[in-house]
Every structure is written in structure tokens, then in C-alpha cells.
Amino acid sequence: MSAPPNAATGALQVFPDKDTLVQALAEHLLALANSTLAEGGAERFFRIALSGGGTPQALYTLMASPDYASRFPWARTQFFMVDDRFVPHSHADSNGGMLQRLLFDKVPVPPDNIFLMPDSGPPADAARAYETTLRRATGLTELATTDTATTPPLLDVCLMGIGTDGHTASLFPGLSVLDNTTDWVAHCTPTTAPHTRLTLTYPAIAASRHVIFLVAGASKQAVLGRILAQDTSLPSTHVTALRDLTWYLDQAVAPPTA
Ligand code: 6PG
């Protein structure tokens, strides 16, 4: 059996600048949503998990704009989180709070379609609770490991970023969560970034039909080059997908050969 699509072999889509990059990605997400819903039954939701941080905020702002918002199938899309800082959603560092402000408050997405990560209580309990949320929302009891019809994907799209240290989601170098192959959601406390986090684990990310990395800016060119060269010391290198993995890049971060 061939190896699943992975970060080092993912297709590169390179755009001149951040604006054209997020415009192209927004249209790609719309096309994926429409094709997924066209293929699935009337009960099918398009399931997407979104990352936080700074890079995707321009994408979320664009998705909330009237022209785009009028075309997107909000009522048939379920929105999940890739990870979050374990702070109240009202905190300035909350990914869920940022998405609520930039996107969910501005578009006609039913509140029942939004699944933010818990932001209180013991972190371990919050991680368990979000895994239960994922199981109930998707009706899945196990994670797909191959792109076949037997087990549907947990997610249709998992939208990821990377840090200059090679982390993705809240999978930071050196953390034990990198070795968690049983849970769908885990908590962790990085030493190189603020806050305890909740994060999807590798198996949960790998159960995504399409994994998309959105990366922009010259500051990440070096770490991207290491990931594409299969530097296994970097957590992002170990990300796989069921069907395909794509890098959406601006020219500033793209490898010189791209
Ligand atoms: C987070 C994100 C994280 C992010 C990278 C890149 O909670 O911070 O989920 O994985 O994607 O840190 O962040 P920037 O886009 O801000 O560089």
C-alpha cells in the first residue's frame, strides 16, 4: 500500500502575494464544499477544521465579505477547531474567539454548526469533551486511515498553519502529544509558546480527506524548506492526509524552485 499524502510530498500552490493567496484558497474551499455536498446525501455536512494564529485571519475576513458569504453553503457546513489556546473565548489569544469575531458573527452559519473547543475546566476533561463532540457531530466511532468509503473522513478539510519551529496545530517539538496515537484530541503545554492548548492529534488530522497548509511570509521559508526535505525532527513533517495534502503559499515563502 502506498504511503498516504504527506507534508513533504504535498502539492505546492504558489501565489504572488497574500491577497491573491487567500482569494485562491477561499475559492478552493468553496469548490471543495460544493463538490463534497454534491457527492454526499442530503444529510451530509461539509466538515472543516480551522486553525488560529495570524496567517489565516485574512482568509476568514474574506470569507465573511458579502460577495463570498453569499456563495458559501453555511447551513450545510460544520466548523471545528484544529487547536486552541486554553483561555476563555473572550481572551485576545483565543482562536475560537477570533473566528467568532472575524467570521461566524458575520455570516449566516447556524450556531449548531459551530464547534469551538471548551475554554474552561481541567484541560484533560476539556480534551475528552471535545473528542466526544467530534464523535457525536460526525457519528463516527473510529478514525479513517485510508481514503475508502468504508469509514468516512473525520474532516473533509483540515486547514493548518506552521510555526518557524516547525509546529502545526499545537503539535510543538518535544511534546508528548506527538506520540499520542490513540486520542482524537489532547491537551499540551508548549514551552516555546503561551498557554496550555487543546489540539487535534496526528491520527485525527490524518483522518482528513484534504489537508491544506496556509503559509505566507519569508520568515517561514527556511522551516518550509526543511519540512519539504522531510526533516522528521519537525512536527509538521509528520502530517498526512487521506486523499491529498496541499501547500497554499505566497511567493515570499515558496521554495526558490517552486
Ligand atoms: C495557533 C495555530 C498554530 C498556527 C501557527 C502559525 O493556535 O497558533 O493553530 O498552529 O497555525 O502557530 O501561526 P501564524 O499564522 O500566526 O504564524
Side-chain angles (χ1 to χ4, degrees), residues 16-17 39 58 60 76 94 109 116-117 128-129 148 156 158 172 194 196 203 218 234 238-239 250 252:
D17 51 49
E39 290 161 13
Y60 304 146
R76 295 190 64 196
S94 168
V109 57
L116 300 185
M117 287 180 160
R128 294 284 63 71
T148 63
D156 294 296
C158 192
F172 285 83
T196 289
L234 302 176
H238 299 276
V239 170
D250 69 357

Side-chain angles (χ1 to χ4, degrees), residues 4-27:
N6 62 75
T9 61
L12 308 184
Q13 300 288 346
V14 181
F15 299 88
D17 51 49
K18 182 85 176 286
D19 286 347
T20 51
L21 169 61
V22 297
Q23 286 165 19
L25 179 51
E27 292 303 321

Side-chain angles (χ1 to χ4, degrees), residues 131 134-136 138-144 151-152 154 182 184:
E131 179 163 330
L134 285 169
R135 289 172 180 267
R136 287 179 179 160
T138 63
L140 297 175
T141 57
E142 61 179 349
L143 292 174
T151 303
L154 175 66
T182 53
W184 300 13

Side-chain angles (χ1 to χ4, degrees), residues 62-144:
L62 173 60
M63 290 176 74
S65 65
D67 167 63
Y68 187 88
S70 65
R71 295 183 288 137
F72 193 90
W74 304 105
R76 295 190 64 196
T77 299
Q78 290 177 319
F79 292 92
F80 301 94
M81 300 303 298
V82 170
D83 71 325
D84 209 340
R85 297 79 181 276
F86 196 56
V87 294
H89 292 144
S90 58
H91 190 290
D93 292 349
S94 168
N95 291 335
M98 175 268 288
L99 269 161
Q100 194 69 48
R101 284 191 308 276
L102 291 185
L103 182 58
F104 300 143
D105 285 347
K106 299 176 184 290
V107 296
V109 57
D112 287 349
N113 290 20
I114 302 168
F115 301 90
L116 300 185
M117 287 180 160
D119 63 351
S120 61
D125 295 354
R128 294 284 63 71
Y130 201 65
E131 179 163 330
T132 300
T133 294
L134 285 169
R135 289 172 180 267
R136 287 179 179 160
T138 63
L140 297 175
T141 57
E142 61 179 349
L143 292 174

Side-chain angles (χ1 to χ4, degrees), residues 51-56 83 85 95 160-163 167-170 197 220:
S51 281
T55 304
D83 71 325
R85 297 79 181 276
N95 291 335
M160 318 287 292
I162 61 171
H167 83 263
T168 189
S170 284
R197 313 292 186 94
K220 297 189 181 164

